Amino acid sequence: MPAMVGAVQVISIGSSGVFNIGDVYKIMPVSTAKTFSGAGSFNTGDAITLYNNRSSTNTFDQDSVDQGNYFNA
């Protein structure tokens, strides 16, 4: 069934994002990422006090592949 769409304004789409208007059968964006961060890196809010006297982030990954995109068409 056709889609009736009015005015659309797209400001930004991320590198692995998908923008679709109308009929679609399958949408499969493909993206993987691995993030390493130290203690307190993702804290958000007002007036956060954080004391990290000795902090180290272990980035050693022995299996090297955590999540593959093998079966995405």
Side-chain angles (χ1 to χ4, degrees), residues 1 6 14-15 18 20 25 27 33 40 43 47 50 53 55 63 65:
M1 181 172 199
S15 62
V18 174
N20 179 60
Y25 171 70
I27 297 177
N43 289 336
L50 181 65
N53 293 333
S55 175
D63 60 353
V65 176

Side-chain angles (χ1 to χ4, degrees), residues 7-45:
V8 175
Q9 180 181 12
V10 178
I11 303 298
S12 156
I13 297 177
S15 62
S16 64
V18 174
F19 176 75
N20 179 60
I21 294 178
D23 299 336
V24 65
Y25 171 70
K26 185 193 316 186
I27 297 177
M28 295 178 59
V30 177
S31 175
T32 59
K34 184 183 291 188
T35 304
F36 297 105
S37 63
S41 295
F42 295 118
N43 289 336
T44 58

